Amino acid sequence: MKQILHEIRRALLAKTTILMMIVIILIPALVAVTSISSVNYSDSVNAKGYAEGQNLTFTISVYVYSNAYGTPIFGETVNLSISGHNYSFTTDSAGYANTTLHSYNTSEIANSSYTYDQVPGESSTSLREGIIMLKPKGNPYFTCSKPIFDQNETLYSSRYTICPAQINNDPKLYGILVTYQPSNLSNFPNISMYYITDKKGILTSGGTGYTVYGPIDYLNNFTKELGGSNYNESEMKYFRTFKSQESMVISPVNLTTNTNTSDYIFEFFSSNGTEVGWIALNLSRTTSPNAVNSLFFKTELPMLSLFVPLLAMLSAFLVFGRDRVTGVLSTVVVRPISRRSVILSRYMASVGAVFVASLASLGLSSTLFHYLLGTYIPLSSILLSFWALAVMICGFSGLIFFASSIMNSIGKIIATVMLAFFFFDFFWTFYALPAIPIFVSTYLLNQNYGTLEYLRTQAILDYITPSGYINLITYLQQHNVYTIGLASYPVSEIYLTFPLVVAAGLLWIFLPLLASLVSFSRKD
Amino acid sequence: MIIIENLRKTYNHKSKIAVDGISFSVNNGEILGLVGLNGAGKTTTINASCGVILPSGGRILIDDMEIVEEKAKASQEIGWVSENPNFEPNTKAIHLMLYYAGFYKIPRKEAFNRSMDLLRTVGLEEDAYRPASAYSQGMKKRFALASAMISNPRNLLLDEILNGLDPSGINLIKKLILEWKKQGKAILLSTHLLGVLENLADRVIIMHHGKIIKTLTNDEMKSLGSTGIRIRADHVDKSLEMLLSKYGTVRIDGQNVIVNGDLNEKDMENISSDISSHGYRISHLDLEKKSLEEYFLTLIGEAL
């Protein structure tokens, strides 16, 4: 056992192995980080339309902005319907579509509505909203006010709308998007933001990421009740004061440091202490496990399928092939150990080293996904990927062990490693350059892309090389029905059944190893 | 004890037979020399005998255990030094010794003490914490010998062990080999220089093209060492030839007469006075010692 541990330690500490392990661990992680940073969250378009005027002359303004970052949308067409008439106008660089209408009374303006595309240019995503009437030159914080319910409460309509928003380059955290309806005001007022930790469980009752928010509906005497919990406004801490603008994203991310909670209640106050809006927000953003899973299979796993076979083969060469040719292995073979045990211990050391690197890579990536997106890679995907990687590691290691046991030249073994890498991995299965499968299907067999025969050939080619196992696993994991172009086929029709894939994996794990064992034990 | 029966080895279908059905044995307390030119099959014989390579045919018994079928057991009593020892890169000599000791289940402390003793014996104590792969060729040979002795095996297979050593190294190794012989170990020693085995080997097997062409005992080797007396007289005739024939085999070589036999300094004096008393004048008289290497080359030449 000590000798096997020595072999494993030796395999792990070889400089080339360390270098390749760093590559295996870091490159897929970097790819994951890059792909994570490109994730977009509900980046749809939102709009606020309002009208202000009197004596049959009204100014209509529709402000169109990105719901994710609060940035104004330029060139968006807004269609206004008023008393059976339609008007189209386009947003300017500040995100405003403005027009002045004559001959319509207050009632007609108040009942008008407008449409805009939530996805610019796609009319199927069109949404209709009503125009909000503003009182001329009204309160800078509220559009109107009137007494309701009882003598102590007053209903206000705030000019501020508050909701969670995406923070640029930090997809795991939420910011707060504040939009302001300035109407014809020339000077935008300041608002101050206060916060308090949500210890009362407003957020936790709704689960992680649950948020409640809205404009202020009523004021009370410093004791707020939200979701059944009470908290004292006088205990709120001051965060910052902002100049109001049409839209802005506030990033209260520094609140998440040095604290165990990311649940906060934020309130916005006017300069004279009047509350104008609030939001209860869990600052941590979580991405769904399915989205993380999909990202992992599309970005990281192909990178692993490129580098893991290379490391497996290099490790096999260093641990067995090179030592056998240079005579180092003979200093072990001469000891009281069977030849079978010699090759098995070296094999275990070699694949063990790559297993460790692969697991470290998967673990680091999962941690990164969690750190950046709030969700770990699902355990089932980790296990499935590890099984696929294990098949690749054992398959390619076994092939090089076998080649090393029948070749007596370092040059020949290195050539075999390079040939196997480029032929059976890089040009065969790496998603950016699957030249061999395309050549075989399209040029050798004259099969058309997307046909059943084409897919069957691709599947057979994936069975032929250990690196194709990643593809088999991906198909099985992601598709019950394989869709290519306009055609769809049940995976079983393209030889992708669970027993077949498992059998192929077991064959790739054991066959090359057995060949090496027989060759080294019986024919050296 | 090492017994080799009808050993054959072919490396692949295209290559010549490296070893072609040889048989011999090395008894306990015996040093057997294996001599031959490069490619004669010495290294193949030794490597197959210690289980480093697999034989194509025949049987090899180490202390009555078959080296292929009972590899792990048979290897317990084998110490092997390769012709060109190579060791793991970047591993210190002492760590390698401990690693090798692990195969024999020697407790770590004992293994450490034994390793240091052996390294001291072969003159590498001060280099114990250097990577063995960085040693000079001579140091590698010494280290290989030390590592071969880690389990104090009963059978030693030493392939060209004296090659690449300086004179002090050669003397040291020869001394150690003779000491191990006294301890009753069976020692198989290969070399391409027959002279090296003089006063060392009990028997010598001369190999050529994978076959044994001659087996010599130590006494036979010694007799090959002093072959005759070279005489140059004023004239050479039948009478002189007759006169000298009583001392050994006479051969005429131009003006020289060579007398071959088991001759010594006393014989040389007798020949000198005998020839002079018969009226011949001697211009040159010399005891001629034919080297073992000449004998070896002659033998190989005859085998070709």
Side-chain angles (χ1 to χ4, degrees):
Chain A
M1 189 61 193
K2 274 184 185 174
Q3 271 51 50
I4 291 174
L5 288 176
H6 171 89
E7 304 285 0
I8 292 172
R9 181 182 144 271
R10 182 178 168 275
L12 281 172
L13 295 181
K15 281 178 191 162
T16 317
T17 312
I18 291 172
L19 189 70
M20 280 305 296
M21 282 170 83
I22 291 170
V23 168
I24 276 196
I25 292 167
L26 289 187
I27 288 190
L30 283 174
V31 170
V33 170
T34 311
S35 59
I36 287 166
S37 64
S38 67
V39 171
N40 288 318
Y41 294 90
S42 59
D43 192 9
S44 59
V45 170
N46 212 334
K48 299 288 172 192
Y50 42 89
E52 189 170 36
Q54 55 190 336
N55 301 329
L56 300 180
T57 298
F58 289 88
T59 301
I60 308 288
S61 291
V62 178
Y63 175 60
V64 184
Y65 60 96
S66 151
N67 202 34
Y69 296 105
T71 47
I73 306 289
F74 169 70
E76 171 88 354
T77 301
V78 174
N79 298 304
L80 178 73
S81 297
I82 180 166
S83 297
H85 296 98
N86 292 321
Y87 299 91
S88 284
F89 39 110
T90 308
T91 57
D92 57 20
S93 58
Y96 280 101
N98 296 315
T99 189
T100 302
L101 298 176
H102 304 282
S103 310
Y104 294 104
N105 61 33
T106 305
S107 173
E108 286 173 309
I109 294 290
N111 289 321
S112 68
S113 64
Y114 61 94
T115 60
Y116 64 98
D117 297 338
Q118 282 193 299
V119 177
E122 288 188 22
S123 56
S124 59
T125 63
S126 179
L127 197 70
R128 181 170 292 277
E129 301 266 8
I131 289 285
I132 300 164
M133 283 295 294
L134 303 176
K135 285 199 170 182
K137 306 290 181 189
N139 186 304
Y141 299 104
F142 300 96
T143 57
C144 61
S145 65
K146 62 178 180 179
I148 59 157
F149 305 129
D150 61 45
Q151 296 297 316
N152 298 323
E153 290 189 333
T154 305
L155 176 67
Y156 287 83
S157 186
S158 173
R159 287 178 184 268
Y160 295 91
T161 304
I162 295 159
C163 63
Q166 185 170 347
I167 297 171
N168 265 329
N169 302 321
D170 201 347
K172 193 194 168 185
L173 292 173
Y174 278 115
I176 299 170
L177 173 61
V178 181
T179 53
Y180 177 64
Q181 297 170 348
S183 185
N184 290 331
L185 294 169
S186 53
N187 291 315
F188 290 6
N190 288 337
I191 52 165
S192 298
M193 182 174 152
Y194 286 75
Y195 69 95
I196 190 168
T197 305
D198 177 26
K199 291 177 183 168
K200 304 288 185 183
I202 295 168
L203 293 170
T204 49
S205 66
T208 306
Y210 175 76
T211 54
V212 285
Y213 54 90
I216 193 70
D217 285 333
Y218 60 88
L219 292 177
N220 59 25
N221 295 320
F222 302 114
T223 301
K224 179 74 75 182
E225 186 174 316
L226 292 172
S229 298
N230 293 316
Y231 67 95
N232 195 335
E233 282 184 337
S234 65
E235 292 174 359
M236 295 192 93
K237 293 176 186 168
Y238 172 73
F239 181 67
R240 274 173 68 187
T241 296
F242 307 93
K243 183 86 172 170
S244 298
Q245 52 193 69
E246 281 85 353
S247 70
M248 59 181 170
V249 173
I250 302 162
S251 308
V253 290
N254 58 327
L255 298 182
T256 59
T257 56
N258 302 319
T259 175
N260 290 327
T261 181
S262 54
D263 294 345
Y264 292 95
I265 296 162
F266 300 94
E267 289 193 356
F268 295 82
F269 293 92
S270 70
S271 54
N272 61 10
T274 305
E275 187 178 343
V276 296
W278 60 271
I279 182 169
L281 177 65
N282 183 313
L283 293 178
S284 297
R285 176 199 298 277
T286 53
T287 307
S288 75
N290 277 346
V292 167
N293 197 43
S294 172
L295 205 59
F296 168 68
F297 270 85
K298 275 183 194 159
T299 58
E300 182 170 355
L301 210 51
M303 295 307 291
L304 281 173
S305 73
L306 180 68
F307 289 113
V308 164
L310 187 60
L311 176 61
M313 289 190 288
L314 278 178
S315 178
F317 165 70
L318 291 173
V319 167
F320 186 69
R322 186 185 62 176
D323 281 3
R324 185 177 168 275
V325 174
T326 57
V328 171
L329 194 67
S330 298
T331 63
V332 176
V333 174
V334 76
R335 309 290 161 186
I337 180 172
S338 68
R339 298 174 71 83
R340 202 180 307 118
S341 301
V342 170
I343 192 171
L344 271 177
S345 64
R346 295 264 163 161
Y347 180 84
M348 283 167 68
S350 179
V351 299
V354 193
F355 276 8
V356 169
S358 305
L359 271 179
S361 181
L362 291 173
L364 177 67
S365 301
S366 192
T367 308
L368 278 172
F369 273 106
H370 180 255
Y371 179 72
L372 296 169
L373 297 177
T375 305
Y376 288 107
I377 300 167
L379 184 63
S380 61
S381 295
I382 294 267
L383 292 175
L384 201 62
S385 308
F386 188 65
W387 161 247
L389 290 174
V391 169
M392 289 168 65
I393 293 166
C394 293
F396 279 109
S397 298
L399 287 175
I400 298 307
F401 266 71
F402 178 66
S404 301
S405 68
I406 59 172
M407 291 175 178
N408 286 311
S409 143
I410 285 187
K412 280 183 188 171
I413 300 172
I414 289 178
T416 306
V417 168
M418 298 318 293
L419 192 72
F421 172 67
F422 282 110
F423 192 76
F424 286 113
D425 188 28
F426 192 76
F427 289 120
W428 198 297
T429 55
F430 186 48
Y431 68 101
L433 270 172
I436 291 169
I438 291 171
F439 176 79
V440 171
S441 298
T442 310
Y443 297 103
L444 282 186
L445 302 174
N446 290 321
Q447 292 169 336
N448 291 323
Y449 177 79
T451 59
L452 184 60
E453 288 69 30
Y454 180 91
L455 288 178
R456 282 178 171 172
T457 304
Q458 300 299 306
I460 290 169
L461 290 169
D462 281 333
Y463 279 111
I464 287 175
T465 167
S467 64
Y469 209 75
I470 286 281
N471 291 343
L472 300 178
I473 289 289
T474 308
Y475 294 148
L476 271 190
Q477 209 257 351
Q478 294 184 334
H479 312 283
N480 285 324
V481 173
Y482 190 88
T483 303
I484 183 167
L486 295 174
S488 294
Y489 306 98
V491 286
S492 57
E493 280 196 26
I494 49 175
Y495 313 129
L496 285 169
T497 61
F498 186 73
L500 258 180
V501 172
V502 170
L506 292 174
L507 267 179
W508 273 121
I509 286 175
F510 292 111
L511 210 59
L513 172 64
L514 279 174
S516 315
L517 269 174
V518 170
S519 174
F520 186 66
S521 307
R522 292 284 160 211
K523 293 187 176 175
D524 189 22
Chain B
M1 187 178 187
I2 304 165
I3 298 172
I4 292 173
E5 292 175 354
N6 197 25
L7 173 65
R8 281 191 306 107
K9 177 67 185 176
T10 311
Y11 284 100
N12 59 52
H13 297 301
K14 290 177 189 168
S15 68
K16 287 193 299 184
I17 293 177
V19 174
D20 191 4
I22 64 169
S23 300
F24 64 87
S25 62
V26 189
N27 299 315
N28 293 336
E30 183 186 31
I31 299 172
L32 177 67
L34 209 53
V35 188
L37 298 176
N38 293 332
K42 308 181 298 289
T43 297
T44 300
T45 302
I46 286 189
N47 286 353
S49 303
C50 64
V52 168
I53 58 170
L54 293 166
S56 307
R59 237 163 51 113
I60 297 158
L61 299 173
I62 305 292
D63 290 346
D64 296 327
M65 285 173 285
E66 219 286 319
I67 191 68
V68 176
E69 300 302 326
E70 301 170 272
K71 162 80 181 56
K73 277 187 188 173
S75 298
Q76 283 281 359
E77 293 299 338
I78 286 178
W80 171 66
V81 174
S82 139
E83 183 181 6
N84 297 305
N86 245 331
F87 302 101
E88 276 184 33
N90 308 317
T91 308
K92 292 180 178 116
I94 184 68
H95 294 156
L96 270 181
M97 290 290 279
L98 296 175
Y99 167 53
Y100 296 143
F103 287 101
Y104 305 93
K105 299 187 170 51
I106 301 169
R108 193 170 171 82
K109 193 172 180 187
E110 189 190 334
F112 180 81
N113 292 337
R114 204 186 282 189
S115 299
M116 288 310 287
D117 283 347
L118 283 165
L119 291 173
R120 193 177 304 118
T121 304
V122 297
L124 290 175
E125 190 184 14
E126 289 180 5
D127 298 291
Y129 287 91
R130 279 181 57 204
S133 57
Y135 283 172
S136 69
Q137 189 58 26
M139 292 168 85
K140 279 183 182 172
K141 278 272 165 80
R142 289 171 189 234
F143 178 72
L145 188 61
S147 73
M149 292 305 293
I150 189 73
S151 62
N152 194 22
R154 285 197 293 264
N155 304 283
L156 290 171
L157 298 110
L158 313 174
D159 193 4
E160 303 280 8
I161 191 168
L162 301 173
N163 248 14
L165 291 176
D166 56 26
S168 72
I170 292 174
N171 283 338
L172 173 74
I173 303 293
K174 278 186 172 179
K175 209 173 119 189
L176 287 172
I177 290 173
L178 288 170
E179 201 176 304
W180 291 329
K181 177 194 165 184
K182 278 184 200 162
Q183 291 172 11
K185 296 184 192 302
I187 301 167
L188 179 60
L189 180 69
S190 84
T191 177
H192 55 266
L193 300 170
L194 188 57
V196 165
L197 298 173
E198 203 176 3
N199 303 320
L200 187 65
D202 297 304
R203 280 187 298 144
V204 170
I205 285 176
I206 299 174
M207 286 186 74
H208 194 58
H209 287 164
K211 291 184 173 174
I212 294 174
I213 56 171
K214 187 83 176 173
T215 303
L216 298 168
T217 63
N218 186 262
D219 289 341
E220 284 170 328
M221 261 202 301
K222 280 178 183 164
S223 72
L224 290 172
S226 54
T227 55
I229 292 171
R230 181 179 286 268
I231 306 149
R232 186 174 292 167
D234 54 349
H235 64 281
V236 177
D237 54 17
K238 284 282 176 191
S239 306
L240 182 62
E241 203 176 333
M242 287 285 287
L243 179 66
L244 293 172
S245 61
K246 64 182 176 189
Y247 295 100
T249 312
V250 179
R251 185 159 59 88
I252 309 293
D253 181 14
Q255 286 296 303
N256 296 320
V257 181
I258 298 155
V259 183
N260 286 315
D262 191 10
L263 303 172
N264 54 33
E265 298 280 340
K266 183 73 181 163
D267 293 322
M268 197 164 70
E269 283 172 21
N270 291 339
I271 286 172
S272 174
S273 60
D274 212 1
I275 293 174
S276 300
S277 65
H278 284 81
Y280 292 95
R281 285 170 59 191
I282 301 166
S283 61
H284 179 86
L285 180 68
D286 189 21
L287 187 65
E288 192 175 64
K289 192 172 182 180
K290 186 179 177 184
S291 73
L292 283 170
E293 302 315 324
E294 281 178 75
Y295 172 78
F296 172 56
L297 289 173
T298 309
L299 199 64
I300 298 295
E302 286 169 4
L304 286 171

